[in-house]
Amino acid sequence: MYKILPRSDGAVLGVEVSGTVTIEEEKELIDKANELVSKYGKASFLVVLGDHVGVSFEAAAADIKWIVTHMNKIARLAIVTDSKLLAALVDIDATFAKLAGISEKHFDSDELDQAWEWIEETMPTP
C-alpha cells in the first residue's frame, strides 16, 4: 500500500510505502510518474519505506521495466529508510544510477526534511 505525501509538488513525487504494493497500485504510481515526465520532461522521486515493505512479483517487474525505460527522465531519487540493508543497496545502486545521470541518495527516517530539501533542489519547471 502507498500514499502520496502532501509535500509532493511540481516535478517531485513523494510516496510512503507500507505493507505490500500490488500490481494495481504500481500501475497507479507509474501513471503518476508518466504524468510528471510528460509535463516536466524529468521528475524526481522521494520514497519512504516502512519496516515491513513488500512488493508483488508483477509490481516489482513493472517498476523495474519503467525505471529501465525512463532512466533519462529521472533527475533525483531519495530513499528514506532505517533499514541498514536497504541503505547499503541504495548506496550500491547510486553508483550505477549516476552512470545513467540519476542522483540517488539514502536518508534515515529522522532525515526526512533533509531528503525533501535535497530532492527539491533541482526541481524542473514546465
Side-chain angles (χ1 to χ4, degrees):
M1 149 169 81
Y2 75 91
K3 72 176 182 179
I4 303 297
L5 297 173
R7 192 162 165 178
S8 297
D9 185 41
V12 174
L13 177 64
V15 178
E16 183 176 351
V17 180
S18 61
T20 300
V21 176
T22 66
I23 185 62
E24 293 79 14
E25 291 171 322
E26 182 63 30
K27 286 179 181 177
E28 290 171 8
L29 288 170
I30 287 171
D31 287 345
K32 291 179 187 317
N34 282 333
E35 288 174 23
L36 292 181
V37 166
S38 292
K39 184 172 183 177
Y40 297 97
K42 282 193 167 203
S44 294
F45 303 94
L46 182 143
V47 181
V48 179
L49 299 173
D51 291 334
H52 304 289
V53 174
V55 62
S56 73
F57 176 78
E58 290 176 310
D63 185 64
I64 291 167
K65 180 181 176 185
W66 189 89
I67 290 170
V68 168
T69 59
H70 291 81
M71 280 190 211
N72 62 337
K73 305 292 183 186
I74 302 170
R76 288 190 170 193
L77 177 61
I79 305 295
V80 181
T81 180
D82 288 331
S83 166
K84 300 300 179 204
L85 174 61
L86 290 176
L89 292 173
V90 169
D91 290 342
I92 292 167
D93 188 58
T95 302
F96 297 102
K98 188 174 185 176
L99 295 173
I102 302 168
S103 295
E104 182 176 4
K105 194 170 178 181
H106 163 262
F107 295 87
D108 289 328
S109 61
D110 63 349
E111 300 173 311
L112 182 58
D113 285 336
Q114 292 95 322
W116 276 111
E117 290 168 10
W118 180 77
I119 205 82
E120 293 169 338
E121 281 177 3
T122 58
M123 282 181 43
T125 55

